[in-house]
PDB file of all heavy atoms in Angstrom:
ATOM      1  N   VAL A 101       1.741  -5.333   8.917  1.00  0.00           N
ATOM      2  CA  VAL A 101       1.913  -3.917   9.253  1.00  0.00           C
ATOM      3  C   VAL A 101       0.792  -3.561  10.259  1.00  0.00           C
ATOM      4  O   VAL A 101      -0.439  -3.757  10.002  1.00  0.00           O
ATOM      5  CB  VAL A 101       1.811  -2.997   8.023  1.00  0.00           C
ATOM      6  CG1 VAL A 101       2.003  -1.574   8.369  1.00  0.00           C
ATOM      7  CG2 VAL A 101       2.908  -3.416   7.051  1.00  0.00           C
ATOM      8  N   ASP A 102       1.204  -3.068  11.388  1.00  0.00           N
ATOM      9  CA  ASP A 102       0.288  -2.673  12.439  1.00  0.00           C
ATOM     10  C   ASP A 102      -0.452  -1.414  11.953  1.00  0.00           C
ATOM     11  O   ASP A 102       0.048  -0.544  11.280  1.00  0.00           O
ATOM     12  CB  ASP A 102       1.109  -2.358  13.704  1.00  0.00           C
ATOM     13  CG  ASP A 102       0.180  -2.071  14.907  1.00  0.00           C
ATOM     14  OD1 ASP A 102      -0.719  -2.888  15.126  1.00  0.00           O
ATOM     15  OD2 ASP A 102       0.408  -1.091  15.551  1.00  0.00           O
ATOM     16  N   ALA A 103      -1.782  -1.306  12.430  1.00  0.00           N
ATOM     17  CA  ALA A 103      -2.623  -0.152  12.023  1.00  0.00           C
ATOM     18  C   ALA A 103      -2.021   1.144  12.464  1.00  0.00           C
ATOM     19  O   ALA A 103      -2.246   2.190  11.856  1.00  0.00           O
ATOM     20  CB  ALA A 103      -4.003  -0.338  12.578  1.00  0.00           C
ATOM     21  N   GLY A 104      -1.278   1.166  13.548  1.00  0.00           N
ATOM     22  CA  GLY A 104      -0.708   2.373  14.150  1.00  0.00           C
ATOM     23  C   GLY A 104       0.350   2.954  13.240  1.00  0.00           C
ATOM     24  O   GLY A 104       0.580   4.159  13.331  1.00  0.00           O
ATOM     25  N   VAL A 105       0.906   2.179  12.354  1.00  0.00           N
ATOM     26  CA  VAL A 105       1.995   2.740  11.474  1.00  0.00           C
ATOM     27  C   VAL A 105       1.471   3.803  10.544  1.00  0.00           C
ATOM     28  O   VAL A 105       2.041   4.894  10.466  1.00  0.00           O
ATOM     29  CB  VAL A 105       2.639   1.545  10.714  1.00  0.00           C
ATOM     30  CG1 VAL A 105       3.742   2.078   9.763  1.00  0.00           C
ATOM     31  CG2 VAL A 105       3.345   0.612  11.658  1.00  0.00           C
ATOM     32  N   ALA A 106       0.382   3.517   9.918  1.00  0.00           N
ATOM     33  CA  ALA A 106      -0.206   4.476   8.910  1.00  0.00           C
ATOM     34  C   ALA A 106      -0.581   5.756   9.579  1.00  0.00           C
ATOM     35  O   ALA A 106      -0.294   6.855   9.142  1.00  0.00           O
ATOM     36  CB  ALA A 106      -1.441   3.799   8.226  1.00  0.00           C
ATOM     37  N   ARG A 107      -1.252   5.625  10.806  1.00  0.00           N
ATOM     38  CA  ARG A 107      -1.676   6.749  11.585  1.00  0.00           C
ATOM     39  C   ARG A 107      -0.493   7.639  11.917  1.00  0.00           C
ATOM     40  O   ARG A 107      -0.473   8.839  11.773  1.00  0.00           O
ATOM     41  CB  ARG A 107      -2.371   6.290  12.813  1.00  0.00           C
ATOM     42  CG  ARG A 107      -3.276   7.345  13.444  1.00  0.00           C
ATOM     43  CD  ARG A 107      -4.082   6.779  14.619  1.00  0.00           C
ATOM     44  NE  ARG A 107      -3.307   5.824  15.484  1.00  0.00           N
ATOM     45  CZ  ARG A 107      -3.704   4.649  15.721  1.00  0.00           C
ATOM     46  NH1 ARG A 107      -4.771   4.146  15.211  1.00  0.00           N
ATOM     47  NH2 ARG A 107      -2.985   3.876  16.550  1.00  0.00           N
ATOM     48  N   SER A 108       0.561   6.905  12.420  1.00  0.00           N
ATOM     49  CA  SER A 108       1.772   7.643  12.850  1.00  0.00           C
ATOM     50  C   SER A 108       2.426   8.374  11.679  1.00  0.00           C
ATOM     51  O   SER A 108       2.876   9.508  11.826  1.00  0.00           O
ATOM     52  CB  SER A 108       2.683   6.595  13.490  1.00  0.00           C
ATOM     53  OG  SER A 108       4.020   6.928  13.296  1.00  0.00           O
ATOM     54  N   LEU A 109       2.402   7.667  10.500  1.00  0.00           N
ATOM     55  CA  LEU A 109       3.048   8.266   9.336  1.00  0.00           C
ATOM     56  C   LEU A 109       2.343   9.544   8.829  1.00  0.00           C
ATOM     57  O   LEU A 109       2.978  10.559   8.575  1.00  0.00           O
ATOM     58  CB  LEU A 109       3.100   7.282   8.177  1.00  0.00           C
ATOM     59  CG  LEU A 109       4.144   6.217   8.179  1.00  0.00           C
ATOM     60  CD1 LEU A 109       3.981   5.276   7.023  1.00  0.00           C
ATOM     61  CD2 LEU A 109       5.552   6.870   8.132  1.00  0.00           C
ATOM     62  N   VAL A 110       1.001   9.432   8.789  1.00  0.00           N
ATOM     63  CA  VAL A 110       0.212  10.576   8.319  1.00  0.00           C
ATOM     64  C   VAL A 110       0.465  11.806   9.259  1.00  0.00           C
ATOM     65  O   VAL A 110       0.677  12.918   8.833  1.00  0.00           O
ATOM     66  CB  VAL A 110      -1.304  10.227   8.242  1.00  0.00           C
ATOM     67  CG1 VAL A 110      -2.161  11.471   8.011  1.00  0.00           C
ATOM     68  CG2 VAL A 110      -1.493   9.173   7.156  1.00  0.00           C
ATOM     69  N   THR A 111       0.351  11.466  10.566  1.00  0.00           N
ATOM     70  CA  THR A 111       0.576  12.581  11.624  1.00  0.00           C
ATOM     71  C   THR A 111       1.978  13.233  11.420  1.00  0.00           C
ATOM     72  O   THR A 111       2.146  14.440  11.385  1.00  0.00           O
ATOM     73  CB  THR A 111       0.502  12.003  12.982  1.00  0.00           C
ATOM     74  OG1 THR A 111      -0.656  11.145  13.015  1.00  0.00           O
ATOM     75  CG2 THR A 111       0.339  13.017  14.060  1.00  0.00           C
ATOM     76  N   ARG A 112       2.940  12.306  11.290  1.00  0.00           N
ATOM     77  CA  ARG A 112       4.362  12.826  11.234  1.00  0.00           C
ATOM     78  C   ARG A 112       4.531  13.671   9.911  1.00  0.00           C
ATOM     79  O   ARG A 112       5.161  14.741   9.971  1.00  0.00           O
ATOM     80  CB  ARG A 112       5.274  11.576  11.158  1.00  0.00           C
ATOM     81  CG  ARG A 112       6.733  11.885  11.478  1.00  0.00           C
ATOM     82  CD  ARG A 112       7.558  10.677  11.327  1.00  0.00           C
ATOM     83  NE  ARG A 112       7.006   9.537  12.083  1.00  0.00           N
ATOM     84  CZ  ARG A 112       7.262   8.286  11.763  1.00  0.00           C
ATOM     85  NH1 ARG A 112       8.051   7.998  10.722  1.00  0.00           N
ATOM     86  NH2 ARG A 112       6.800   7.307  12.500  1.00  0.00           N
ATOM     87  N   TRP A 113       4.108  13.124   8.854  1.00  0.00           N
ATOM     88  CA  TRP A 113       4.362  13.791   7.556  1.00  0.00           C
ATOM     89  C   TRP A 113       3.582  15.165   7.488  1.00  0.00           C
ATOM     90  O   TRP A 113       4.161  16.170   7.008  1.00  0.00           O
ATOM     91  CB  TRP A 113       3.904  12.939   6.370  1.00  0.00           C
ATOM     92  CG  TRP A 113       4.868  11.743   6.149  1.00  0.00           C
ATOM     93  CD1 TRP A 113       6.048  11.522   6.812  1.00  0.00           C
ATOM     94  CD2 TRP A 113       4.771  10.776   5.080  1.00  0.00           C
ATOM     95  NE1 TRP A 113       6.604  10.389   6.282  1.00  0.00           N
ATOM     96  CE2 TRP A 113       5.885   9.970   5.213  1.00  0.00           C
ATOM     97  CE3 TRP A 113       3.826  10.489   4.097  1.00  0.00           C
ATOM     98  CZ2 TRP A 113       6.089   8.829   4.396  1.00  0.00           C
ATOM     99  CZ3 TRP A 113       4.071   9.410   3.266  1.00  0.00           C
ATOM    100  CH2 TRP A 113       5.185   8.588   3.430  1.00  0.00           C
ATOM    101  N   SER A 114       2.372  15.194   7.991  1.00  0.00           N
ATOM    102  CA  SER A 114       1.604  16.486   7.852  1.00  0.00           C
ATOM    103  C   SER A 114       2.234  17.438   8.819  1.00  0.00           C
ATOM    104  O   SER A 114       2.383  18.676   8.548  1.00  0.00           O
ATOM    105  CB  SER A 114       0.124  16.281   8.099  1.00  0.00           C
ATOM    106  OG  SER A 114      -0.092  15.329   9.116  1.00  0.00           O
ATOM    107  N   GLY A 115       2.720  16.997  10.021  1.00  0.00           N
ATOM    108  CA  GLY A 115       3.329  17.859  10.994  1.00  0.00           C
ATOM    109  C   GLY A 115       4.631  18.422  10.451  1.00  0.00           C
ATOM    110  O   GLY A 115       4.900  19.635  10.540  1.00  0.00           O
TER     111      GLY A 115
END
Side-chain angles (χ1 to χ4, degrees):
Chain A
V101 181
D102 186 50
V105 174
R107 196 174 46 234
S108 148
L109 279 178
V110 170
T111 314
R112 194 186 309 158
W113 285 0
S114 39

